[in-house]
């Protein structure tokens, strides 16, 4: 149990640092922004009570907000994402009791289900983030383009993260 | 009582959810950048420390561009020095009598050199973080420029770091004029392209050409008159009847921001107090 907590704590810190130092400065073709820190929310064990999931997700979003001067945008989107993560997983994998390991991954869910889950979560998050951004700033065409491009880019990077962790095991 | 507790426990996730949503919305809709708390911005100690470390590494990447800019500026300055030297010699020769007085506006502005340790250009509201703060003499509402032109205005200051509202932030409007004329307009970023901005409210009778330089007007105490801002690229979207709206190519390269100069105006307090008395505090930077 303690080992798991330390593992997630490490993942939290590494993802915030990587997002802030590397991926925040990346903007492909002026539209695609990788939002990789949500990998933490994706990887939270399904057995974790939803209150805890929302708390850590809120803190994660707040951390990224502090470092990137986005005042509450990521905190709000992360909280909502943590609340609707399990219902989204149940869409594709209705019986989570069957999972051998509570952590969603390529191995525990199977590649097809996991990829569907991953792209749904990423798309929902990108949509929320850029919608919140657009509420304060009107440029709808650019916003839709950003949602699509960022979803695709984030999805590809997160799959790369998964293949990294699969190799080390 | 028991029922109430049961109710609270059963629906606890809704309460937790609502609480976090309310907190983040509170942060989100606090749109005035001057009210942001220092710990929740990149000027806070931890965030600034991390950006400091990463900028120590990435600072080398754009040195070539910056070097080119510096070379160009050195050349301009050198030319200016030569012209001025020529003028001084001319004055000495023609007016040996001691009627020349020192111009008393010289020395009003001081520069504090700082390094940008974090900078965003892709968001709708962009900010720059620098590694000088209160203890180095930096105060909110000081102007910031780099070797090419205007960068922004200081807004949150901690002991050793400060956050600047970038020119690429619609919260920041800069009063500008055409070089060599006195008609002025208001420069604002429209959120599309980090290399371009919009000059609004330029009177219709103004004569201008593509390629003319836009400089700061000096009507506010934040920037001295005549700091270059951008170059006219052409007319932008449907202008209304009385004013021109122009598209400006910014001279400052926000993608390679490194060393910046913070402009401290010794008369700033005095001018602010006069303006606050007169207009109730609404002024344009």
């Amino acid at each position: 149990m303690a080992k798991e907590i330390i593992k997630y704590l490490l993942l939290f810190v590494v993802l915030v640092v990587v997002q802030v130092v590397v991926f925040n400065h990346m903007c492909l073709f002026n539209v695609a922004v990788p939002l990789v820190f949500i990998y933490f929310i994706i990887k939270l064990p399904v057995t974790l009570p939803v209150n805890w999931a929302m708390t850590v997700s809120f803190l994660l979003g707040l951390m990224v907000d502090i470092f990137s001067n986005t005042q509450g945008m990521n905190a709000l989107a992360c909280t909502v994402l943590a609340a609707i993560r399990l219902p989204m997983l149940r869409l594709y994998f209705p019986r989570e009791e069957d999972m051998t390991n509570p952590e969603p991954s390529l191995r525990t869910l199977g590649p097809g289900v996991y990829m569907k889950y991953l792209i749904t979560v990423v798309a929902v998050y990108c949509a929320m983030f850029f919608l919140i951004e657009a509420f304060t700033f009107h440029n709808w065409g650019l916003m839709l383009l950003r949602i699509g491009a960022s979803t695709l880019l984030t999805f590809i990077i997160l799959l790369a993260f998964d293949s990294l962790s699969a190799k080390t095991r | 009582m028991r029922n109430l507790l049961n109710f609270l426990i059963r629906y606890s996730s809704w309460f937790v959810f609502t609480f976090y949503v309310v907190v983040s919305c509170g942060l989100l809709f606090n749109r005035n950048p001057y009210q942001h708390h220092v710990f929740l911005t990149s000027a806070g100690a931890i965030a600034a420390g991390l950006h400091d470390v990463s900028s120590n590494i990435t600072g080398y990447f754009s040195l070539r561009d910056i070097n080119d800019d510096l070379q160009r500026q050195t050349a301009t300055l050198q030319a200016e020095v030569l012209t001025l030297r020529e003028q001084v010699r001319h004055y000495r020769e023609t007016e040996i009598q001691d009627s020349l007085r020192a111009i008393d506006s010289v020395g009003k502005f001081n520069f504090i050199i700082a390094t940008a340790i974090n900078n965003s250009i892709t968001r709708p509201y962009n900010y720059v973080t620098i590694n000088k703060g209160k203890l180095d003499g930096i105060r909110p509402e000081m102007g910031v420029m780099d070797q090419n032109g205007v960068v922004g205005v200081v807004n949150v200051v901690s002991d050793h770091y400060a956050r600047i509202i970038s020119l690429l932030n619609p919260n920041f409007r800069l009063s500008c004029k055409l070089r060599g004329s006195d008609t002025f307009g208001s420069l604002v970023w429209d959120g599309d392209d980090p290399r371009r901005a919009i000059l609004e409210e330029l009177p219709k009778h103004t004569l201008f050409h593509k390629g003319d330089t836009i400089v700061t007007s000096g009507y506010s105490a934040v920037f001295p008159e005549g700091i270059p801002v951008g170059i006219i690229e052409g007319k932008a979207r449907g202008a209304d009847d009385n004013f021109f709206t122009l598209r400006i190519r910014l001279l400052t390269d926000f993608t390679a921001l490194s060393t910046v100069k913070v402009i401290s105006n010794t008369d700033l307090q005095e001018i602010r107090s006069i303006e606050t008395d007169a207009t109730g505090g609404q002024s344009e930077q």
Side-chain angles (χ1 to χ4, degrees):
Chain A
M1 189 64 200
K3 209 178 132 196
E4 288 288 294
I5 292 176
I6 291 172
K7 193 186 109 191
Y8 276 102
L9 207 64
L10 209 65
L11 188 66
F12 185 103
V13 175
V14 168
L15 281 174
V16 170
V17 169
V18 165
Q19 174 71 36
V20 170
V21 174
V22 182
F23 290 106
N24 262 359
H25 300 278
M26 209 178 270
C27 192
L28 279 192
F29 314 116
N30 221 6
V31 284
V33 186
L35 301 163
V36 299
F37 61 96
I38 55 169
Y39 192 64
F40 181 79
I41 304 177
I42 291 167
K43 282 285 164 181
L44 282 177
V46 291
T47 48
L48 188 74
V50 70
N51 284 353
W52 277 106
M54 285 193 292
T55 309
V56 289
S57 304
F58 173 78
L59 289 177
L60 177 74
L62 194 67
M63 272 323 222
V64 176
D65 278 339
I66 289 173
F67 283 106
S68 44
N69 279 314
T70 43
Q71 286 280 319
M73 280 185 207
N74 286 308
L76 178 59
C78 279
T79 311
V80 178
L81 188 70
I84 61 175
R85 178 182 71 112
L86 285 184
M88 277 193 295
L89 180 60
R90 285 193 196 112
L91 279 181
Y92 306 118
F93 199 77
R95 296 174 57 193
E96 62 209 36
E97 300 81 27
D98 288 359
M99 287 168 69
T100 45
N101 184 335
E103 179 188 309
S105 73
L106 279 169
R107 214 155 38 92
T108 53
L109 292 177
V113 173
Y114 179 72
M115 279 194 206
K116 278 192 271 182
Y117 164 66
L118 188 65
I119 195 145
T120 317
V121 172
V122 171
V124 167
Y125 189 82
C126 288
M128 279 196 294
F129 181 74
F130 289 108
L131 263 174
I132 295 169
E133 208 175 62
F135 266 120
T136 53
F137 206 72
H138 305 285
N139 203 335
W140 296 100
L142 187 68
M143 186 200 78
L144 289 177
L145 196 64
R146 283 192 154 186
I147 292 177
S150 303
T151 305
L152 203 63
L153 183 62
T154 312
F155 177 66
I156 292 168
I157 294 175
L158 291 191
L159 274 186
F161 278 11
D162 267 317
S163 66
L164 278 182
S165 60
K167 284 234 176 70
T168 52
R169 258 169 218 159
Chain B
M1 194 60 205
R2 182 173 290 271
N3 280 338
L4 180 69
L5 278 180
N6 278 338
F7 171 81
L8 285 179
I9 290 167
R10 181 177 297 169
Y11 293 103
S12 67
S13 54
W14 282 105
F15 292 114
V16 174
F17 179 73
T18 317
F19 173 71
Y20 288 135
V21 167
V22 167
V23 171
S24 32
C25 282
L27 287 171
L28 185 61
F29 291 109
N30 182 2
R31 266 285 144 220
N32 184 349
Y34 287 97
Q35 288 170 5
H36 291 176
H37 194 278
V38 68
F39 291 116
L40 293 180
T41 68
S42 58
I46 305 167
L50 180 68
H51 289 313
D52 219 355
V53 171
S54 79
S55 98
N56 271 341
I57 299 162
T58 56
Y60 294 98
F61 294 164
S62 49
L63 277 186
R64 184 180 292 270
D65 287 343
I66 293 161
N67 202 12
D68 287 349
D69 287 341
L70 284 175
Q71 300 269 10
R72 209 174 307 125
Q73 206 200 7
T74 317
T76 344
L77 286 177
Q78 223 157 22
E80 204 165 321
V81 165
L82 290 176
T83 339
L84 286 175
R85 210 175 271 164
E86 200 66 35
Q87 276 179 7
V88 167
R89 196 188 302 147
H90 174 72
Y91 278 124
R92 275 212 192 114
E93 282 167 2
T94 51
E95 306 186 47
I96 304 170
Q97 63 266 48
D98 52 357
S99 62
L100 275 178
R101 264 190 18 225
I103 309 155
D104 40 8
S105 69
V106 170
K108 206 169 82 171
F109 292 103
N110 290 320
F111 292 111
I112 303 163
I113 308 290
T115 307
I117 57 171
N118 183 40
N119 175 28
S120 69
I121 54 171
T122 58
R123 305 191 177 283
Y125 292 84
N126 293 298
Y127 296 94
V128 180
T129 316
I130 59 168
N131 66 349
K132 292 279 166 73
K134 214 180 288 169
L135 299 182
D136 305 288
I138 291 178
R139 300 282 175 273
E141 303 201 17
M142 281 182 174
V144 182
M145 58 184 283
D146 78 343
Q147 69 271 18
N148 296 321
V150 170
V151 171
V153 61
V154 177
N155 95 314
V156 180
V157 182
S158 67
D159 277 353
H160 295 101
Y161 298 96
R163 186 182 73 166
I164 295 161
I165 304 183
S166 163
L167 197 56
L168 307 181
N169 187 325
N171 281 325
F172 177 45
R173 296 182 82 90
L174 181 70
S175 166
C176 290
K177 64 175 191 181
L178 290 170
R179 174 175 276 170
S181 102
D182 272 337
T183 48
F184 67 99
S186 175
L187 187 92
V188 69
W189 189 55
D190 58 348
D192 281 343
D193 185 344
R195 283 161 302 182
R196 289 178 180 81
I198 299 284
L199 183 71
E200 292 174 339
E201 295 164 23
L202 194 69
K204 203 78 177 181
H205 62 262
T206 318
L207 290 174
F208 65 89
H209 302 284
K210 216 169 130 180
D212 280 357
T213 308
I214 302 292
V215 297
T216 52
S217 70
Y219 289 159
S220 78
V222 175
F223 290 102
E225 188 185 337
I227 295 179
V229 178
I231 287 169
I232 297 180
E233 272 201 337
K235 278 185 214 170
R237 56 195 154 94
D240 62 34
D241 286 334
N242 300 318
F243 296 104
F244 280 127
T245 304
L246 305 180
R247 183 153 280 279
I248 306 295
R249 186 166 62 77
L250 295 172
L251 285 169
T252 310
D253 183 5
F254 282 93
T255 55
L257 205 60
S258 170
T259 309
V260 297
K261 291 176 256 189
V262 183
I263 306 162
S264 101
N265 181 349
T266 43
D267 295 348
L268 187 66
Q269 285 305 321
E270 200 176 327
I271 296 172
R272 277 264 174 273
S273 68
I274 297 172
E275 283 179 353
T276 316
D277 291 347
T279 63
Q282 288 299 313
S283 67
E284 190 177 70
Q285 261 112 38

